[in-house]
Amino acid sequence: MMLRPARAATLIPAVFILLATASLLIDLVPFAQHGATWQALFAPDETSFDQIFYHFSTLPRTVMAFMCGAGLAVAGAAIQTIFRNPLASPVTLGVGSGVELALTVFLVLAPASLANWQDLFTLAGGMGALGIVYLIASGRSNASLWLILAGMIVNLLLHSATQIFILFNQQFLDSVFMWGAGDLAQNGWDSTLYLAPRLIIAILAVVALVRPLDILALGDETANSLGAPVKWLRLGILAIAVFITASIISTVGMIGFIGLAVPATLRFVGYTRSRGLLAMSFLVGGCGLVIIDYVMRHFAGTGGDIFPTGAATALIGAPFVIIILRKARIMPDGNANRQDHPTDYKITSRHMLLTGLFALLVVGLVASLLVSLDGNSHPVLTPISDLFAFTSTIGDRTQRTLAAIVCGAALAVSGTLIQRVGHNPMASPEITGVSSATALTMIIAMVYFGFDGRTELMLIGSVGGIISLFVLLALCRNFNHAPHYLLLNGLALTAVLGSVVRIALTHSGTKATMLISWLAGTTYFTRLDEVITVAIITAILSILILLARRPLELASMGSDQAVSLGLGISAFRLAMMTGAAILAAVSTLLVGPLSFVGLMAPHLARIAGFRLAGAHLLGAILIGANVMMVAEWLARNIIYPQQLPTGLIAALIGTAYFLILSARRS
């Protein structure tokens, strides 16, 4: 039976309030049975452990949960109203990642005497991230698709930068990682009393701007015609929303998706005016996080392990994004859709370009084996005789460089298939969740089931990647696998899987450091026999795909045209997507879930003019291999004797490429 919006508008807040109240009363039942409710709440008996624990741990944690949920929901409601976008929130627009990076840098580098500047520093981090997203999307008139896509890209970039700081400051690893997962645990009232006045003032400020919010919700043109200073109002309200988010994240860590799911739900059930939306967001957001935290507290108690509430919240919230996508029917405007296809640059003939890329790869391979940097960044040349003698140093460099080249080629083929079959030039195995699913299934197999054989993990990871890809295709089936739905659902899946990875890592004990390094994309753990195995798999699949280049060309034209030309599009698409998932899985096992190579290599190949399927594949393979070879050399030498993960360097290169591409199109 369908629930009418008017009834849902009343029922949803009522259910949340009742459940939250019930959780509070259940916590108080043991004290009520002994007539000690008042004592537990306000004046605990110092000889009673239960009363002390409730008063100084459970109660402040519950109050903290309500404050954080209410604050994030109000901030999300304000941001969604300003951008007129149900998918906008502090998390999806990169604010959370900006605050996380700023706070991580501050905690690691800033002296204790600057502690009072922490709030200003995190606020600057959040505003900086939001500013980058806004600049990228402004060239597209803040189109819904590009606003969220830019937010997700900035999220990936800032998350990569945060990982670098964590990896190089492992003495803070446990505390920073647990904080990043969103931990509401309290051992007193200090944090609650620290956060409360900030949130009260900021939320009251948002409420005071209800009328300007209603005007902004009408659109920029209408607001301007009514005489409203649109830019200043938007900037002021955004600053308050970011301040709320920064205050909460710096206190308890990342709490994902409350700021997205709550206001979006309330808007769908009829709360379209800002006054009602903000009031209900405050209540439902606060009660919602209290309920989630109550479940997590009792879940953690049975296992004896810490279960981060923030990661669990993202687990619930990200699927909600998928539901919203099915309801909101967000469509890119025609201008944005046209610009998604890169412009050709006739640099030289295609054959010459392929030959040049191959020669660059060979010369680069030899150079990466023989040339390195010392501690003063001076080049050091290894004797050529060592190359023929295959010394241990040359052997280690060969193993790692070949691993990077093979993974670059595998991800390039995977990305090319997803982009052509999905008819989406902005799709890639990293963004569609395939790499994250592969990494997640491997981590679960290692942490919870004790698998440590590389062959077993490769098979398990491949199954996870394939399942993830099929889930994504099933989610987008009703929309004919439209590019923007495929992309946004993939990003939501990536967020879900990333949250589960965080939860799994908090239970990984001594393996945490190794797993975080692997997740960042390192070639340090590779073995030559594995490199050869992945190279053989990549070569076989690439040859098979090249043999199928003609049907691949037909599939790139779209489903209707492919079917009219006699191609069984469903079976062909299934075969190609399976191949893409296998390639993403084996490369993930080798060097971790690399970012952006699967997006960037096919994109650059198209820009270089490789339009036909066969040439597109070859061009993408050579570009992906070259990019990864350069990233591996930089990761190994740029701050020698310390080393960076290759995946992080590749992510930085890819993000820079995306930002330049977006700026050019703007």
Coordinates of all heavy atoms in Angstrom, one line a residue, residues 234-282:
R234 N 24.0 33.5 -0.2 CA 24.5 32.1 -0.4 C 25.8 31.9 0.4 O 26.0 30.9 1.0 CB 24.7 31.9 -1.9 CG 25.1 30.5 -2.2 CD 25.1 30.2 -3.7 NE 23.8 30.1 -4.2 CZ 23.4 30.3 -5.4 NH1 24.3 30.7 -6.3 NH2 22.2 30.1 -5.8
L235 N 26.7 32.9 0.2 CA 28.0 32.7 0.9 C 27.8 32.7 2.4 O 28.5 31.9 3.1 CB 28.9 33.9 0.5 CG 30.3 33.9 1.1 CD1 31.1 32.6 0.6 CD2 31.1 35.1 0.7
G236 N 27.0 33.6 3.0 CA 26.8 33.6 4.4 C 26.2 32.3 4.9 O 26.6 31.8 5.9
I237 N 25.1 31.8 4.3 CA 24.5 30.6 4.7 C 25.4 29.4 4.6 O 25.5 28.5 5.4 CB 23.2 30.4 3.9 CG1 22.2 31.5 4.3 CG2 22.5 29.0 4.3 CD1 20.9 31.5 3.4
L238 N 26.2 29.4 3.5 CA 27.1 28.3 3.3 C 28.2 28.3 4.4 O 28.6 27.2 4.9 CB 27.8 28.4 1.9 CG 27.0 27.8 0.7 CD1 27.8 28.1 -0.5 CD2 26.8 26.4 0.9
A239 N 28.6 29.5 4.8 CA 29.7 29.6 5.8 C 29.1 29.0 7.1 O 29.8 28.3 7.9 CB 30.1 31.0 6.0
I240 N 27.9 29.3 7.4 CA 27.3 28.8 8.7 C 27.1 27.3 8.6 O 27.5 26.6 9.6 CB 25.9 29.4 8.9 CG1 26.0 30.9 9.1 CG2 25.2 28.8 10.2 CD1 24.7 31.7 9.1
A241 N 26.7 26.8 7.5 CA 26.5 25.3 7.3 C 27.9 24.6 7.4 O 28.0 23.6 8.0 CB 25.9 25.0 5.9
V242 N 28.9 25.2 6.8 CA 30.2 24.6 6.9 C 30.7 24.7 8.3 O 31.4 23.7 8.8 CB 31.2 25.3 5.9 CG1 32.6 24.8 6.1 CG2 30.8 25.0 4.5
F243 N 30.5 25.8 9.0 CA 30.9 25.9 10.4 C 30.3 24.8 11.3 O 30.9 24.2 12.1 CB 30.5 27.3 11.0 CG 30.8 27.4 12.4 CD1 32.1 27.6 12.9 CD2 29.8 27.3 13.4 CE1 32.4 27.8 14.2 CE2 30.1 27.5 14.7 CZ 31.4 27.7 15.2
I244 N 29.0 24.5 11.1 CA 28.3 23.4 11.8 C 29.0 22.1 11.5 O 29.3 21.3 12.4 CB 26.8 23.4 11.4 CG1 26.1 24.6 11.9 CG2 26.2 22.1 12.0 CD1 24.6 24.7 11.4
T245 N 29.2 21.8 10.2 CA 29.8 20.6 9.8 C 31.2 20.5 10.4 O 31.6 19.4 11.0 CB 29.9 20.5 8.3 OG1 28.6 20.7 7.8 CG2 30.4 19.1 7.9
A246 N 32.0 21.5 10.3 CA 33.4 21.5 10.8 C 33.4 21.3 12.3 O 34.3 20.5 12.8 CB 34.1 22.8 10.4
S247 N 32.5 21.9 13.0 CA 32.5 21.8 14.5 C 32.2 20.3 14.9 O 32.8 19.8 15.8 CB 31.4 22.7 15.1 OG 31.7 24.1 14.8
I248 N 31.3 19.7 14.2 CA 30.9 18.3 14.5 C 32.0 17.4 14.1 O 32.4 16.5 14.9 CB 29.6 18.0 13.8 CG1 28.4 18.8 14.4 CG2 29.3 16.5 13.9 CD1 27.1 18.7 13.6
I249 N 32.5 17.5 12.9 CA 33.6 16.6 12.5 C 34.8 16.7 13.4 O 35.4 15.7 13.7 CB 33.9 16.8 11.0 CG1 32.7 16.4 10.1 CG2 35.1 16.0 10.6 CD1 32.9 16.6 8.7
S250 N 35.2 17.9 13.7 CA 36.4 18.0 14.6 C 36.2 17.5 16.0 O 37.1 17.2 16.7 CB 36.8 19.5 14.6 OG 35.8 20.3 15.3
T251 N 34.9 17.3 16.4 CA 34.7 16.8 17.7 C 34.5 15.2 17.7 O 35.1 14.6 18.6 CB 33.4 17.4 18.3 OG1 33.5 18.8 18.2 CG2 33.1 16.9 19.7
V252 N 33.8 14.7 16.7 CA 33.5 13.3 16.8 C 33.9 12.5 15.5 O 33.8 11.3 15.4 CB 32.0 13.0 17.0 CG1 31.5 13.6 18.3 CG2 31.1 13.6 15.8
G253 N 34.4 13.2 14.5 CA 34.8 12.6 13.3 C 33.7 12.6 12.2 O 32.7 13.3 12.4
M254 N 34.0 11.8 11.2 CA 33.0 11.9 10.0 C 31.7 11.1 10.4 O 31.8 9.9 10.7 CB 33.7 11.2 8.8 CG 34.8 12.0 8.2 SD 34.2 13.5 7.4 CE 33.5 12.7 6.0
I255 N 30.6 11.8 10.3 CA 29.3 11.2 10.4 C 28.6 11.4 9.0 O 28.2 12.5 8.7 CB 28.5 11.9 11.5 CG1 29.2 11.8 12.8 CG2 27.1 11.2 11.6 CD1 29.3 10.4 13.4
G256 N 28.6 10.4 8.2 CA 28.2 10.5 6.9 C 26.7 10.4 6.6 O 26.0 9.6 7.3
F257 N 26.2 11.2 5.7 CA 24.9 11.0 5.0 C 23.6 11.4 5.8 O 22.6 11.4 5.3 CB 24.7 9.5 4.5 CG 25.5 9.2 3.4 CD1 26.8 8.6 3.5 CD2 25.2 9.6 2.1 CE1 27.6 8.3 2.4 CE2 26.0 9.4 1.0 CZ 27.2 8.7 1.2
I258 N 23.8 11.7 7.1 CA 22.6 12.2 7.9 C 22.2 13.6 7.2 O 21.0 13.8 7.0 CB 23.0 12.5 9.4 CG1 23.0 11.1 10.1 CG2 22.0 13.4 10.0 CD1 21.7 10.6 10.4
G259 N 23.2 14.4 6.9 CA 22.9 15.7 6.3 C 22.4 15.6 4.9 O 21.8 16.6 4.3
L260 N 22.4 14.4 4.3 CA 21.8 14.2 3.0 C 20.5 13.6 3.1 O 19.5 14.0 2.5 CB 22.8 13.3 2.1 CG 22.2 12.8 0.8 CD1 21.9 13.9 -0.2 CD2 23.2 11.8 0.2
A261 N 20.4 12.4 3.8 CA 19.2 11.6 3.7 C 18.0 12.3 4.4 O 16.9 12.2 3.9 CB 19.5 10.3 4.4
V262 N 18.3 12.9 5.6 CA 17.1 13.4 6.4 C 16.4 14.6 5.7 O 15.2 14.5 5.4 CB 17.6 13.9 7.8 CG1 16.5 14.6 8.5 CG2 18.0 12.7 8.6
P263 N 17.1 15.7 5.3 CA 16.4 16.7 4.6 C 15.8 16.3 3.2 O 14.7 16.8 2.9 CB 17.4 17.8 4.4 CG 18.7 17.2 4.6 CD 18.5 16.0 5.5
A264 N 16.5 15.4 2.5 CA 15.9 15.0 1.2 C 14.6 14.2 1.5 O 13.7 14.3 0.7 CB 17.0 14.1 0.5
T265 N 14.6 13.3 2.5 CA 13.4 12.6 2.8 C 12.2 13.5 3.1 O 11.1 13.4 2.6 CB 13.6 11.6 3.9 OG1 14.7 10.8 3.6 CG2 12.4 10.8 4.2
L266 N 12.5 14.5 4.0 CA 11.5 15.4 4.4 C 10.9 16.2 3.3 O 9.8 16.5 3.2 CB 12.0 16.3 5.6 CG 12.4 15.5 6.9 CD1 13.1 16.4 7.8 CD2 11.1 15.0 7.5
R267 N 11.8 16.6 2.4 CA 11.4 17.4 1.2 C 10.5 16.5 0.4 O 9.5 17.0 -0.2 CB 12.6 17.9 0.4 CG 12.3 19.0 -0.6 CD 13.5 19.4 -1.3 NE 14.5 20.0 -0.4 CZ 14.5 21.3 -0.1 NH1 13.6 22.0 -0.5 NH2 15.4 21.7 0.8
F268 N 10.8 15.3 0.2 CA 10.0 14.4 -0.6 C 8.6 14.2 -0.1 O 7.6 14.0 -0.8 CB 10.6 13.0 -0.8 CG 11.7 13.0 -1.9 CD1 12.9 12.6 -1.7 CD2 11.3 13.5 -3.2 CE1 13.9 12.6 -2.7 CE2 12.3 13.5 -4.2 CZ 13.6 13.1 -3.9
V269 N 8.5 14.2 1.3 CA 7.2 13.9 1.9 C 6.4 15.2 2.1 O 5.3 15.2 2.7 CB 7.3 13.2 3.2 CG1 7.9 11.8 3.0 CG2 8.0 14.0 4.2
G270 N 6.9 16.4 1.6 CA 6.1 17.6 1.6 C 6.6 18.8 2.3 O 6.0 19.8 2.3
Y271 N 7.8 18.7 3.0 CA 8.3 19.8 3.7 C 9.1 20.7 2.8 O 10.4 20.6 2.7 CB 9.1 19.4 4.9 CG 8.3 18.8 6.1 CD1 8.2 17.4 6.2 CD2 7.6 19.6 6.9 CE1 7.4 16.9 7.2 CE2 6.9 19.1 8.0 CZ 6.8 17.7 8.1 OH 6.0 17.2 9.1
T272 N 8.5 21.5 2.0 CA 9.2 22.3 1.0 C 9.5 23.7 1.4 O 10.4 24.3 0.9 CB 8.3 22.4 -0.3 OG1 7.0 22.9 0.1 CG2 8.1 21.0 -0.9
R273 N 8.8 24.2 2.4 CA 9.1 25.5 3.0 C 10.2 25.4 4.0 O 10.3 24.4 4.8 CB 7.9 26.1 3.6 CG 6.7 26.3 2.7 CD 7.1 27.3 1.6 NE 7.4 28.7 2.1 CZ 6.5 29.6 2.3 NH1 5.2 29.4 2.0 NH2 6.8 30.8 2.8
S274 N 11.1 26.4 4.0 CA 12.3 26.3 4.8 C 12.0 26.1 6.3 O 12.7 25.4 7.0 CB 13.2 27.5 4.6 OG 13.6 27.5 3.2
R275 N 11.0 26.8 6.8 CA 10.8 26.8 8.3 C 10.4 25.4 8.7 O 11.0 24.9 9.7 CB 9.6 27.7 8.6 CG 9.3 27.9 10.1 CD 8.2 28.8 10.4 NE 8.4 30.1 9.8 CZ 9.1 31.1 10.4 NH1 9.6 30.8 11.6 NH2 9.2 32.3 9.9
G276 N 9.5 24.8 8.0 CA 9.1 23.4 8.4 C 10.3 22.4 8.1 O 10.5 21.5 8.9
L277 N 11.0 22.6 7.0 CA 12.0 21.7 6.7 C 13.2 21.7 7.7 O 13.7 20.7 8.2 CB 12.6 22.1 5.3 CG 13.8 21.2 4.8 CD1 13.3 19.8 4.6 CD2 14.3 21.8 3.5
L278 N 13.5 22.9 8.2 CA 14.6 23.1 9.2 C 14.2 22.5 10.5 O 14.9 21.8 11.2 CB 15.0 24.5 9.3 CG 15.7 25.2 8.1 CD1 15.9 26.7 8.4 CD2 17.1 24.5 7.9
A279 N 12.9 22.8 10.9 CA 12.5 22.3 12.2 C 12.4 20.7 12.2 O 12.9 20.1 13.2 CB 11.1 22.8 12.5
M280 N 11.8 20.2 11.2 CA 11.8 18.7 11.1 C 13.1 18.1 10.9 O 13.4 17.0 11.4 CB 10.8 18.3 10.0 CG 9.4 18.5 10.2 SD 8.8 17.6 11.7 CE 8.4 18.9 12.8
S281 N 14.0 18.7 10.2 CA 15.4 18.2 10.0 C 16.1 18.1 11.4 O 16.8 17.2 11.7 CB 16.2 19.1 9.1 OG 15.7 19.0 7.8
F282 N 15.9 19.2 12.2 CA 16.5 19.2 13.5 C 16.0 18.0 14.3 O 16.8 17.3 14.9 CB 16.1 20.5 14.2 CG 16.7 20.7 15.6 CD1 17.9 21.2 15.8 CD2 15.9 20.3 16.7 CE1 18.5 21.3 17.0 CE2 16.4 20.5 18.0 CZ 17.7 21.0 18.1

